[in-house]
């Protein structure tokens, strides 16, 4: 079934809600307050179907103070139905709605002139010309213009036919599912239900989704599309999602539901903006940000050293995390005034110098992702994750990799999805050279170096190792690398070094991995050396990570037996009085005593048999 979402816009009392009722019988003003005041306070949702075609209506408020709800609905529109009464024409709120529609980048509109029964045919034609002339200054694509009266059934039927003639959703599929919550409720016996418009990609029954604001993963246990149970909700569908094990208090209007791992939250975003006529954006001033169905106060920081601007770049700082993606449209308002519209250019805040950030935003504004990557790599010398490109640039992994591969002076690790500036290679090579220069017996593998340089992928490290081999600085032996100037076989030397190290450490031997790191040898090689020394009885293994020189062990055992002779027993307390060792060593040595036939354990004490 084709789904189209049409949002209404227009001045109060121009007949938006009455028109929807005439089209599909839906009574939009459902609350007592709405009925008493005769205006639509919140968003109303309804639909009408014909065969495999479905049109969903989002009826938004027209009252000046309630424009914020109109903005919350507009992000989900495919088309806008601009409703203007024949007897009043374009009014202040009509103009504000038109400006907001334009700021949000909604270009395809339908013009419906209502209450045609209140004017003559001549007046109606003049009003139509006046409206079209006003709309010329905006770059709208007007699908059609229709004149109706709710009391003229023929005009309503004609409008229905025209609506069903328009094309399916114009929204492009994105890389992942997104869903801004516009309503939250909890029907008895059902659990928590949220409504909203499906963006990005469809969602499926029993699919796991992620609530960004509460950082909670949940599952969709039921889907309703236009009041009918469904197995999935496609892009541009109005849907109600029943979420599993989510308390209603953990959700609110404006929260974003998506797939886990796709979007990170930041307390700031960078935007480009354009103000309405005769409006300016002021530096260091607080405004209300509208993005999707979310409303939040933000402080505006202009990039140019000017107190106010009509157009430009700005950083918006909030007191909570914002979960946004590249290209999303936003509105900034001050009180009841719309100031400007904008586009999110940088949804991920990076530590960057101001001039560098300016260059990044200029590149993003032109969708020059190659230049944007270059600027970001200057700030991410130790690697830029390609996986973040879905949020940063609204690119798929494949598109992001393609862009990266076409760049010069970078290394792209396709497996780990990381891009490195090629000059960072010298930092890795210098690090490796320093190890092998200081320690001629160093013997490391790729994985050993990766444990020390966790930011560098193994593929990038391998590139550096290969170059050092080609430069005759290193020699590769199986998976290990040794200094090219070191004698051929120094395994025996390393064995003696480890043995001497343990002898010097006496009864407080270091954990094996610390020894390996200090000696710059691979962990597997180090394990093999300890196995060899253990087999020769030169080293005794007391625990999986505790090896001691045989002479040191004999010495401590002798001393422990002397304590038993003196005190009649040995336990933790009197052992600790003689040796200020950690419990790890004391308990291990006490346990080792149990191996001797002349020693017996009684409760916590060891005594002679």
């Amino acid at each position: 079934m084709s789904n189209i979402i049409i949002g209404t816009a227009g001045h109060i009392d121009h007949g938006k809600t009455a028109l929807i009722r005439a089209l599909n019988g839906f009574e939009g003003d459902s609350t007592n307050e709405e009925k008493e005041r005769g205006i639509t306070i919140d968003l109303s949702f309804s639909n009408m179907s014909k065969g495999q075609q479905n049109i969903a209506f989002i009826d938004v408020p027209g009252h000046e103070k309630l424009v914020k709800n109109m903005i919350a609905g507009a992000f989900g529109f495919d088309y806008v139905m601009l409703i203007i009464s024949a007897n009043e024409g374009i009014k202040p709120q009509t103009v504000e709605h038109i400006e907001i529609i334009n700021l949000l980048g909604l270009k395809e509109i339908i013009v419906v002139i209502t209450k045609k029964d209140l004017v003559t045919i001549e007046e109606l034609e003049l009003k139509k010309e006046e409206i079209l002339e006003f709309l010329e200054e905006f770059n709208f694509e007007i699908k059609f213009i229709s004149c109706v009266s709710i009391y003229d059934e023929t005009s309503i039927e004609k409008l229905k036919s025209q609506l069903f003639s328009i094309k399916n959703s114009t929204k492009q599929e994105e890389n992942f599912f997104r869903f801004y919550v516009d309503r939250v409720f909890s029907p008895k016996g059902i659990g928590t239900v949220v409504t909203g418009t499906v963006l990005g990609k469809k969602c499926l029954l029993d699919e796991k989704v992620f609530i960004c604001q509460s950082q909670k993963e949940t599952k969709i246990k039921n889907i309703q599309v236009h009041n009918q149970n469904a197995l999935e909700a496609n892009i541009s569908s109005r849907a109600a999602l029943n979420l599993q094990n989510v308390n209603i208090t953990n959700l609110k209007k404006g929260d974003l539901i998506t797939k886990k791992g796709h979007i990170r939250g930041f307390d700031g975003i960078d935007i480009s903006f354009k103000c309405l006529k005769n409006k300016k954006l002021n530096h260091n001033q607080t405004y209300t940000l509208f993005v999707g169905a979310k409303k939040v106060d933000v402080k505006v920081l202009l990039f140019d050293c000017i107190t106010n601007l009509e157009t430009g770049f700005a950083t918006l700082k909030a007191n909570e995390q914002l979960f946004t993606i590249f290209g999303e449209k936003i509105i900034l308002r001050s009180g009841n005034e719309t100031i400007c519209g904008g586009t999110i250019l940088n949804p991920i805040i990076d530590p960057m110098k101001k001039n560098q950030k300016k260059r990044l935003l200029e590149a993003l504004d032109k969708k020059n992702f190659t230049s944007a990557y270059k600027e970001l790599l200057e700030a991410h010398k130790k690697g830029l994750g390609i996986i973040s490109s879905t949020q940063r640039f609204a690119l798929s992994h494949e598109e992001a990799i393609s862009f990266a591969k076409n760049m010069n002076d970078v290394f792209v690790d396709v497996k780990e999805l990381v891009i490195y500036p090629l000059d960072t290679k010298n930092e890795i090579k210098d690090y490796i050279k320093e190890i092998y220069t200081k320690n001629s017996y160093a013997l490391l593998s790729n994985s050993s170096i990766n444990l020390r340089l966790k930011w560098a992928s193994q593929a990038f490290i391998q590139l550096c190792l290969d170059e050092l081999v080609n430069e005759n600085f290193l020699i590769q032996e199986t998976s290990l690398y040794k200094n090219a100037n070191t004698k051929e076989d120094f395994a025996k030397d390393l064995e003696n070094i480890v043995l001497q190290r343990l002898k010097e450490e006496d009864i407080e031997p270091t954990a094996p991995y610390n020894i390996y790191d200090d000696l710059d040898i691979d962990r597997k090689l180090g394990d093999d050396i300890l196995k060899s020394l253990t087999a020769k009885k030169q080293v005794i293994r007391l625990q999986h990570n505790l090896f001691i020189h045989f002479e040191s062990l004999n010495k401590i055992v002798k001393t422990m037996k002397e304590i038993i002779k003196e005190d009649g027993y040995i336990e933790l307390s009197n052992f600790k009085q003689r040796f200020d060792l950690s419990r790890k060593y004391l308990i291990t040595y006490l346990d080792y005593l149990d191996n001797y036939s002349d020693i017996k354990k009684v409760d916590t004490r060891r005594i002679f048999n």
Side-chain angles (χ1 to χ4, degrees), residues 170-223:
T170 57
K171 285 193 177 70
Q172 296 297 311
E173 187 175 273
E174 298 167 3
N175 296 309
F176 55 94
F177 160 76
R178 292 185 303 130
F179 185 97
Y180 278 108
V181 174
D182 53 41
R183 282 182 175 174
V184 187
F185 49 97
S186 186
K188 190 173 181 180
I190 300 297
T192 299
V193 176
V194 294
T195 64
T197 301
V198 177
L199 301 174
K201 278 190 176 182
K202 67 182 179 182
C203 61
L204 305 173
L205 187 66
D206 293 328
E207 186 174 28
K208 286 185 178 180
V209 292
F210 189 71
I211 304 166
C212 292
Q213 279 72 14
S214 62
Q215 293 290 289
K216 181 177 177 63
E217 192 169 40
T218 180
K219 190 167 78 169
I220 302 172
K221 62 180 184 179
N222 190 40
I223 298 174

Side-chain angles (χ1 to χ4, degrees), residues 556-568:
I556 193 68
V557 168
K558 182 180 179 182
T559 305
M560 290 166 73
K561 288 185 175 182
E562 288 173 356
I563 293 172
I564 297 175
K565 283 181 183 178
E566 292 175 15
D567 297 355

Side-chain angles (χ1 to χ4, degrees), residues 80 152 160 245 286-287 436 499 515:
V80 177
D152 179 0
K160 278 188 182 180
N245 298 325
T286 298
Y287 294 87
Y436 283 88
L499 184 62
I515 296 175

Side-chain angles (χ1 to χ4, degrees), residues 310-329:
E310 294 176 359
T311 183
F313 300 124
T315 295
L316 308 183
K317 299 291 288 183
N319 289 325
E320 62 179 89
Q321 288 194 322
L322 303 173
F323 296 88
T324 60
I325 65 169
F326 172 80
E328 276 192 282
K329 298 293 183 180

Side-chain angles (χ1 to χ4, degrees), residues 97-107 138-140:
H97 277 205
I98 290 169
E99 288 175 332
I100 290 170
I101 291 163
N102 188 50
L103 290 174
L104 290 171
L106 300 167
K107 295 302 179 184
F138 300 93
N139 189 29
F140 291 131

Side-chain angles (χ1 to χ4, degrees), residues 452-495:
R452 302 180 184 204
L453 298 176
K454 295 185 187 300
W455 56 267
S457 73
Q458 290 197 17
F460 198 24
I461 292 171
Q462 191 59 52
L463 174 68
C464 299
L465 289 169
D466 290 343
E467 289 192 6
L468 290 171
V469 170
N470 291 333
E471 293 167 11
N472 295 319
F473 180 81
L474 294 178
I475 294 174
Q476 182 178 2
E477 291 185 352
T478 61
S479 63
L480 300 177
Y481 293 83
K482 69 177 185 179
N483 192 312
N485 294 321
T486 305
K487 61 183 181 180
E488 275 304 308
D489 183 15
F490 56 89
K492 184 66 178 176
D493 291 346
L494 279 174
E495 200 171 283

